[in-house]
Amino acid sequence: MLFSTKVISASGNLMLNICDHDLVDKIFQNGDIKIKINPNYYAERDVDEHEAKNLLEKCNSINMVGQNTISLATSLGIGSKKGIRLIEGVPFLLVF
């Protein structure tokens, strides 16, 4: 299983953008809310599950999209199922 990632370092913090690889460059819409999974924002590097776990555990804030990504994060105790939002059935979760 592949995950698409981008890590941004700013002011001593690491922000991780991570999503299920198959969601890159897709658009999801629910009413007025429209989100594009932009490759410039999410797909700097593709990683396997082991590397995705390492990134999830070391970053301070995480922007994640997709069932596989969020399942992996919550299995590590990162994030809460209460914070998950769905757009066209695709889960999104932000952790700060």
Side-chain angles (χ1 to χ4, degrees):
M1 181 177 333
L2 283 178
F3 300 87
S4 295
T5 65
K6 182 172 184 176
V7 177
I8 300 165
S9 179
S11 303
N13 293 309
L14 290 176
M15 180 177 146
L16 172 63
N17 299 321
I18 183 170
C19 70
D20 295 4
H21 178 72
D22 62 330
L23 298 179
V24 173
D25 217 19
K26 293 190 177 176
I27 297 172
F28 302 98
Q29 188 166 354
N30 188 3
D32 292 340
I33 299 171
K34 182 177 181 179
I35 296 179
K36 179 179 180 183
I37 310 305
N38 190 315
N40 293 328
Y41 194 73
Y42 284 97
E44 182 175 82
R45 188 166 67 101
D46 292 333
V47 300
D48 63 14
E49 185 174 333
H50 176 75
E51 180 65 17
K53 284 180 182 179
N54 288 337
L55 290 170
L56 286 164
E57 290 175 332
K58 78 177 189 179
C59 290
N60 306 85
S61 61
I62 307 164
N63 174 11
M64 56 188 112
V65 183
Q67 185 62 47
N68 295 329
T69 298
I70 293 172
S71 290
L72 180 61
T74 56
S75 76
L76 296 169
I78 299 168
S80 166
K81 292 185 180 189
K82 290 187 270 182
I84 297 171
R85 298 294 178 252
L86 297 176
I87 299 177
E88 276 191 46
V90 177
F92 291 79
L93 180 61
L94 299 173
V95 175
F96 295 95

